[in-house]
Structure formats: structure tokens, C-alpha cells
Amino acid sequence: MDSSRAPCADFFVEKKMKYVLVTGGVVSGLGKGVTASSIGVLLKACGLRVTLIKIDPYLNTDAGTMSPFEHGEVFVLDDGGEVDLDLGNYERFVDIILTRDNNITTGKIYQSVIDKERRGDYLGKTVQVVPHITDAIQEWIERVAMVPVDGKEGPADVCVIELGGTIGDIESMPFVEALGQFSYRVGPGNFCLVHVSLVPVLNVVGEQKTKPTQHSVRGLRGLGLTPNILACRSVKPLEGNVKEKLSQFCHVPVSNIVTLHDVSNIWHIPLLLKKQKAHEALIEVLQLKGFAKEPQLDEWTRRANICDTLQDPVRIVMVGKYTGLSDSYLSVLKALLHASVACHKKLIVDWVASTDLEETMEKEEPELHKKAWDLLKAADGILVPGGFGDRGVQGKILAAKYARENKVPYLGLCLGMQIAVIEFARSVLKLPHANSTEFVPDAKTPCIIFMPEGSKTHMGGTMRLGSRRTHFVTTNCKAARLYGNANFIDERHRHRYEVNPDMVPEFEKAGLTFVGKDETGKRMEIIELPDHPYFIGVQFHPEFKSRPGNPSALFLGLIAASCGQLGSLLRTVCSENTTPRCHLTDGPMTPGPYRHGNLKEHSNGLANGNYHADDNGQHE
């Protein structure tokens, strides 16, 4: 591989798009998402432009109506797309902005084909899975692969496609057939298949077993797809004889078999691939020799190593409804991690089920109730994330009240902001019936109301979704200063309810300031308590735009406030007139430009349990 030559633009105009397909075998949850993301990082480090597509074989049109317990968090994109959490992995790892079409589902494909049939586009033909569904899948992939996602003009050089589920699943069969046809159609040198499989170790004999992977590859080949690279998940690196055995029975060169063994933190995975020269195998299969440089991952290496060596803890309590599954709040966890690494603190998240804080639990489960409150009172900072429905709301209100009264740093996201407003109305304004019409439709004091443009009959895609602009009413507030004294910011939203604008004057008179509003000035976006060390609530979801090298400003503020660094952070930001961006060194964070504002120019989550940032998991 010629490390002295950069990619030639003319080459990619003349050549076809290159495709990398990532499939999974044996069991689900092996980490296909982080593998696809890491491949994207590696190819980008080689100087190639990368886009990614996630295929989800379920019948839902999108992830918007799924319970977090069912499929993890719903990730929201700039264009309002409600998509699988793996697209969050892609955006965070590769630092790109995807669209809703980068998430393909069976529901979307069938809906598009049926719409064509109803319009008469098939001219009376019998519409079948083959060729109509399979053709629609291939056309969708080719169309979306050409859309730039990195802010530059023209299509990417390589499109990485992740096929969700496990090879052999009934629901993924049309996609497997379509991808088999697709690999033949685009031709050799333009398609590379990376198969992620499991190499287990039986405790009885202590030997790495290859048979599950052999069967998985045999099934894959029987469906018309042949792997070019094997990515083997295991506890420890594969032994030499195991690789040779896999090579012999799976017909994959030993040099193209890489080990994805357990690591101390997920940022080591791209480094693991580079160390095993996976980029050379990819470039050889895709015939990109001479057009890719040697990958540079210095910042990734520093970040991964710093994360491993952090000792000084910062303890954040997460008060939520879905604490039984950490993937329900994956982006929130990652935003906290990005901010804590930037502040050189070891993140510890204490999960508290909001229902356990409520008075009824004190009678029913006194031990759980006491444990929940003990965790809350031991917190350096408190975070209340978004959610829907009235279950556990009273517990969240109690958490906001505790943070307000005891001067504990607090960040409320979406519903977390709304319950802070409700708590303030009840406790400070002495309005005992203050509530949201989401929980009490005929509330006597509706301080949170249904948005006029919302739909009460259809659930999917009917919320206020995607990137929306928030204008700062004043720059003399913590939020604006954290965003680099911005006039406005663009953040992603997902909500149906909002603060009642008729009550805003009453709130502000009592000391609750609304420092950020939409372009009309009637929709409240950011609240602050000026006399509190850090009490901020936002209607949007800043976690969706946090990046490992560019932590969310508000999460950074929470972590800094929780460990006594907020003053110095704000002084640094204001002196540079920028929002802090993480340039990793062995010392404190240095500021840099922030792109979201306009400057004046499967870890196992357990209710009331712990999450440690260096635990190994399946998602970024």
C-alpha cells in the first residue's frame, strides 16, 4: 500500500462505488454495529470518504414507535428520522451526519413497493419478492450510497452496510438474496463481505471452538454470499492453529481473519483492526491499492489510553424509567463518557429507577426506596433523561426538587426539563395542581401542554422531530457561555409537549429563567436557575450530537460542575470565544471550534445499579 499517495478524485469518478457488507452469525449481539463503525473509522483514517447504511429486517417502518426495552434507544437524526441506535454508533465513530434513508427496514421496502403497485408502476405484472422486493432493496442501497454525509460535495468512496440480525433469520432472507445479487452485479473489486462470528471457549476444556463459525459460513455461502474477511469475537485473541483451521474450512486467507477480543474500552476496536492489518485486507479486496494512505489513528489511540488510565471518579445519578436496559439511554451514556474523558474523570453512573424514589415504594419496598435515595444523595450530579408516559414521573420530580434545593448539579433532557418546570411550579409558585396534560389531560394548572401541530391519533413520525434552531435570549447565562457565547444553536428534538407560554412570565418573576427559545419566541427550549451552581433543562436532546472528540457543551458543563471545574471551564471558553472541543493530551482539555452553535462571528443496566465507563460492551 503506497502511503505517500492520497486518494485521487478522478479515480473515484471513473470507478464504481465500493461496498463493504457486515453480517453476523451464530448469535445476535456480537457487535456488528461497532465493527461496521470501526471499519468506517479505519477507512476514513486511510483518507477515504465513508458512508454507512443499517438494514433492519423488522416490519416496522422505523424505530419511532418501539419501546426502549424492545430495541434500545431511538436515535434521532438531523432530518427527523427515528432510527436504530447503531446509526448513533456510526455518527459518533465516523463523525458524519446521516439521513433517515440510511436506515433501511422491511417496512420501508414493502411500503415503497406497494406504493408503486398502487400507482400502476409495474404495468399489471405480478408483484413478487423476487425480483421486485430484491430490486427495491438494491436500488435503495445504490441511491443512498451516493448521498454525501460528511459535509463535502459528491458521493463517498466506500459505503459500509450492516445487515441486522443473524444469518439464517427468516425475516432477513429477502435482504440476503438482494445482497447476493448485488455483489454479483457490482462485480469483483467493488464488494467486500466481512462476517462477524463467535469463537467460544468451553470452560471444561478451555479450547477455542471453530465449529459454530464453520457452520455460520457454510450457511452464508449456501445463501449466495462468500465472506472475504472473518471478524471473530472471542474472549482472548485467536490462537494460530485456530486461525489456520478457520482458514481451511471457511476458505478465507489467514491474513483476512481478525480477532475482535474483549477490550478495556470500545475505542480500542479500530486500533485492534489496524494492528491486525484489516485495512490492508479491505483495500486489497476493494482494489484500492495506491489510492489509500496508511491509517493515522493517533487521536483514537490517545483517547483509548486516557480512558483506561482515569482514576478520579465523578458520580452521576441517572434517574429514569428504563434503567433495566442501559441501551435505552445509550447516547446519554456516551455523551457523559465523552465529557468525563474531556475533564479527565472516571465516569461512574448510578442507575436509579424513578419509581423507587416515590412515596408508595417506601411502603411497598422500603429497602429499594432507601437504596435509591442513598444513591441520589451521594451523587456529584443528577441527570433526568427523556421519556414518555406518567409512570415514574413523580420520582423524577422528587429528583429535580432534591437537586434544586440542595444545589446539586442537574441536567434535564426533554421530559427532564418539563418535570423541572412542574416541580418549580408546585414548590416555588405554590401551585399544587401544576402538571402536564400528557399525564393529566384536564390539569387545573397545565404548565406543560400539547403542541398545536401534533397528532393525537397517529404515533409514528408525528412529533416535533429533528434539528431545530434555538435562539439565546441572553448570553449572560451558563448555557450560552458553554456554547461559546453563541447567538443560536441547532440541536435535535423529539417531543409532543412543551412549556405553556402563558405561564412563562410567572415563572420568570419567581426566578426560573428561559434563556433559550425557538425562532417565534413562544416555544421554550432552555431553562436555567441563575442562583444555582448548575441547574439546566433543555427541550432538545444534545446527546445525539455529542462526539468522542467533541463532547456536548451541556454534558461537559454537567461533568465540570459535578467535579468543581465549571468556573475554570467557563473562563476558558469565554476567553477563547469558543465552545470546548476535546483535543486529547495528558493535561487538561483545550478549547476549539464548536459546530452546533453560531459564534459571534450492551453493558448490563440494572435498576439502582452501577455503570462504569471502562466496561466492555457491544455498542460505542
Side-chain angles (χ1 to χ4, degrees):
M1 184 167 58
D2 186 353
S3 60
S4 65
R5 295 185 62 185
C8 173
D10 294 338
F11 171 83
F12 292 110
V13 171
E14 297 169 3
K15 290 287 184 178
K16 295 179 180 179
M17 171 73 71
K18 308 291 183 176
Y19 297 92
V20 177
L21 173 63
V22 179
T23 60
V26 184
V27 295
S28 61
L30 287 177
K32 295 188 302 299
V34 77
T35 303
S37 302
S38 298
I39 289 171
V41 169
L42 201 56
L43 292 173
K44 184 177 179 180
C46 290
L48 302 169
R49 294 175 61 197
V50 181
T51 185
L52 294 101
I53 294 173
K54 172 68 187 296
I55 297 174
D56 284 304
Y58 49 67
L59 278 169
N60 304 63
T61 301
D62 59 34
T65 58
M66 289 186 182
S67 163
F69 285 128
E70 190 77 18
H71 211 68
E73 77 169 2
V74 176
F75 191 81
V76 179
L77 301 171
D78 266 6
D79 66 358
E82 298 173 283
V83 296
D84 183 81
L85 55 79
D86 276 319
L87 274 79
N89 294 334
Y90 305 161
E91 285 202 346
R92 285 187 291 269
F93 261 61
V94 191
D95 196 15
I96 51 180
I97 304 295
L98 299 173
T99 71
R100 67 180 74 225
D101 286 346
N102 288 84
N103 192 191
I104 305 175
T105 69
T106 298
K108 285 181 180 179
I109 295 296
Y110 273 77
Q111 189 173 58
S112 68
V113 170
I114 290 170
D115 287 345
K116 285 183 178 181
E117 186 273 331
R118 291 290 86 187
R119 289 196 303 266
D121 291 1
Y122 295 116
L123 301 175
K125 292 183 179 179
T126 302
V127 181
Q128 298 175 293
V129 173
V130 181
H132 301 101
I133 294 295
T134 52
D135 283 353
I137 293 168
Q138 295 175 68
E139 290 165 6
W140 193 302
I141 290 171
E142 284 189 304
R143 172 175 58 84
V144 174
M146 300 300 290
V147 178
V149 294
D150 56 3
K152 301 176 183 178
E153 293 184 0
D157 305 321
V158 183
C159 177
V160 180
I161 306 164
E162 178 193 347
L163 176 60
T166 306
I167 291 298
D169 293 345
I170 293 174
E171 58 264 29
S172 64
M173 287 302 181
F175 291 101
V176 173
E177 174 61 28
L179 290 164
Q181 296 177 17
F182 189 70
S183 66
Y184 174 75
R185 187 155 61 84
V186 299
N190 296 312
F191 189 90
C192 176
L193 198 162
V194 179
H195 188 59
V196 183
S197 188
L198 177 67
V199 178
V201 174
L202 299 181
N203 290 334
V204 178
V205 293
E207 180 186 1
Q208 293 177 331
K209 293 294 183 181
T210 64
K211 196 66 72 176
T213 298
Q214 292 181 42
H215 283 296
S216 180
V217 170
R218 186 178 296 120
L220 187 64
R221 294 174 68 186
L223 294 169
L225 289 168
T226 301
N228 303 103
I229 298 173
L230 281 181
C232 299
R233 284 285 287 116
S234 61
V235 176
K236 296 180 180 179
L238 293 186
E239 299 167 4
N241 64 315
V242 173
K243 282 191 174 184
E244 291 174 2
K245 190 173 182 180
L246 284 170
S247 175
Q248 179 182 1
F249 286 97
C250 299
H251 303 176
V252 175
V254 172
S255 59
N256 287 17
I257 299 176
V258 297
T259 306
L260 298 179
H261 58 79
D262 292 350
V263 290
S264 55
N265 73 70
I266 215 70
W267 292 333
H268 281 290
I269 299 299
L271 308 177
L272 205 58
L273 291 175
K274 180 190 174 185
K275 184 178 180 181
Q276 298 175 78
K277 302 187 183 301
H279 56 288
E280 294 184 3
L282 287 162
I283 286 165
E284 182 178 356
V285 174
L286 295 175
Q287 297 179 5
L288 290 172
K289 283 189 176 181
F291 300 95
K293 61 184 182 181
E294 190 68 24
Q296 300 297 320
L297 290 170
D298 295 342
E299 187 174 345
W300 275 91
T301 303
R302 286 194 296 271
R303 184 183 301 118
N305 292 337
I306 286 174
C307 191
D308 286 343
T309 58
L310 295 176
Q311 298 294 328
D312 192 13
V314 59
R315 188 175 294 273
I316 303 296
V317 163
M318 181 102 74
V319 182
K321 295 171 59 176
Y322 315 112
T323 54
L325 179 66
S326 63
D327 276 359
S328 301
Y329 302 112
L330 186 64
S331 290
V332 176
L333 285 173
K334 296 309 173 184
L336 286 170
L337 177 60
H338 301 160
S340 62
V341 171
C343 291
H344 286 258
K345 298 293 179 179
K346 181 181 176 65
L347 176 66
I348 298 175
V349 176
D350 288 322
W351 300 91
V352 171
S354 54
T355 51
D356 291 350
L357 295 171
E358 298 175 357
E359 292 181 5
T360 53
M361 188 60 71
E362 185 176 11
K363 300 175 182 178
E364 297 173 2
E365 297 283 351
E367 290 185 7
L368 277 179
H369 180 76
K370 182 180 183 302
K371 182 180 180 182
W373 274 101
D374 287 346
L375 287 172
L376 192 72
K377 291 176 181 179
D380 296 318
I382 296 172
L383 190 149
V384 177
F388 298 92
D390 60 356
R391 183 178 65 84
V393 164
Q394 184 56 34
K396 293 184 177 185
I397 290 174
L398 291 170
K401 182 177 182 179
Y402 178 83
R404 180 181 60 81
E405 292 180 342
N406 293 276
K407 305 295 185 182
V408 179
Y410 175 90
L411 178 60
L413 310 176
C414 198
L415 179 61
M417 166 185 156
Q418 295 175 5
I419 62 99
V421 171
I422 295 170
E423 189 280 320
F424 191 90
R426 292 179 182 179
S427 300
V428 179
L429 297 181
K430 306 302 180 184
L431 299 172
H433 300 293
N435 217 321
S436 168
T437 56
E438 179 181 3
F439 316 133
V440 181
D442 56 350
K444 292 181 180 179
T445 311
C447 51
I448 307 296
I449 59 174
F450 192 78
M451 292 188 300
E453 68 268 35
S455 171
K456 294 187 177 182
T457 58
H458 289 73
M459 299 294 287
T462 59
M463 289 183 276
R464 185 169 179 251
L465 293 164
S467 183
R468 307 288 178 131
R469 182 151 292 177
T470 295
H471 295 265
F472 283 105
V473 177
T474 175
T475 56
N476 187 27
C477 62
K478 295 182 183 71
R481 291 166 69 189
L482 284 167
Y483 278 104
N485 292 321
N487 289 324
F488 62 82
I489 54 172
D490 295 313
E491 294 282 10
R492 298 176 184 178
H493 293 66
R494 186 175 185 248
H495 65 109
R496 287 191 178 88
Y497 293 82
E498 61 181 348
V499 174
N500 186 347
D502 295 337
M503 293 188 66
V504 168
E506 194 174 356
F507 281 118
E508 293 196 317
K509 186 178 179 181
L512 183 65
T513 59
F514 294 84
V515 300
K517 302 179 181 181
D518 76 340
E519 60 277 0
T520 69
K522 296 180 180 179
R523 184 159 281 155
M524 304 303 115
E525 294 281 2
I526 307 175
I527 64 167
E528 264 193 41
L529 285 176
D531 60 348
H532 192 285
Y534 192 85
F535 193 100
I536 294 178
V538 293
Q539 188 59 75
F540 46 82
H541 289 269
E543 68 269 23
F544 291 142
K545 296 180 86 168
S546 182
R547 300 289 185 267
N550 188 12
S552 164
L554 297 177
F555 280 84
L556 194 58
L558 175 66
I559 295 296
S562 299
C563 58
Q565 297 180 6
L566 183 61
S568 59
L569 174 65
L570 291 176
R571 285 191 295 272
T572 303
V573 173
C574 291
S575 65
E576 299 289 340
N577 202 35
T578 59
T579 304
R581 179 176 176 128
C582 181
H583 298 291
L584 287 169
T585 63
D586 293 330
M589 181 189 61
T590 56
Y594 187 75
R595 63 174 166 226
H596 306 323
N598 181 45
L599 298 180
K600 291 183 177 177
E601 68 82 270
H602 219 352
S603 61
N604 293 321
L606 298 174
N608 300 351
N610 303 104
Y611 166 90
H612 296 272
D614 57 354
D615 284 350
N616 185 38
Q618 299 302 331
H619 301 287
E620 189 273 327

